Amino acid sequence: MESRRGPLKSAVPSNIVSPVRRCSRTACGRPAVATLTYVYADSTAVLGPLATYAEPHCYDLCAEHSERLTAPRGWEVVRLLDGSAPARPSGDDLEALANAVREAARPQERAAGAGGGARGADPMEVARRGHLRVLRSPDN
């Protein structure tokens, strides 16, 4: 006689096992968002995005505990950015962008300076400042 119960149903319902991984810190029941791994050989604590599955020697941390993480004296904490989260621009990024916009806004000076001896510049390149380049749109 066949059982009516499907292959994945449990005979005893359980509230102990949760499909959501929880923070490994004692008495913290918040959902985990990051995974902490210690690299003892390098004295480094690596905090990265939540691992695909729970590892025995890794610790899952909630947002609060991952932000407040400190390492033992002499250790380094390496925080890996989550690829899905948008990166916040730094002050240097914003300054470089502002300088590039200022440079692009000076067409007369740019044309006078590049008139005679352009050293084989890319025809799409309009201006250059340090490592930044302003490129002409391919439609123009």
Side-chain angles (χ1 to χ4, degrees):
M1 185 180 254
E2 271 187 52
S3 171
R4 291 186 181 189
R5 203 171 340 153
L8 297 178
K9 287 190 176 181
S10 172
V12 179
S14 174
N15 294 332
I16 298 172
V17 178
S18 169
V20 176
R21 288 174 28 204
R22 301 287 176 191
C23 183
S24 298
R25 295 290 302 258
T26 306
C28 181
R30 290 183 286 254
V33 297
T35 298
L36 172 66
T37 306
Y38 289 107
V39 183
Y40 293 98
D42 298 332
S43 298
T44 304
V46 180
L47 183 68
L50 189 62
T52 309
Y53 53 91
E55 291 280 346
H57 299 289
C58 295
Y59 303 92
D60 294 337
L61 299 176
C62 64
E64 181 181 342
H65 286 121
S66 64
E67 289 171 9
R68 295 185 352 199
L69 175 72
T70 59
R73 182 175 292 142
W75 281 56
E76 181 182 359
V77 176
V78 176
R79 295 178 186 270
L80 303 176
L81 293 177
D82 182 8
S84 64
R88 294 183 195 154
S90 70
D92 291 340
D93 293 338
L94 295 175
E95 185 177 349
L97 180 60
N99 289 337
V101 169
R102 279 189 212 108
E103 185 71 27
R106 293 186 247 167
Q108 292 81 16
E109 294 175 27
R110 189 177 61 239
R119 26 180 192 154
D122 182 5
M124 295 298 289
E125 185 175 322
V126 176
R128 177 180 285 265
R129 176 151 184 157
H131 67 281
L132 298 173
R133 298 184 310 163
V134 177
L135 302 177
R136 182 178 304 121
S137 171
D139 299 334
N140 293 343

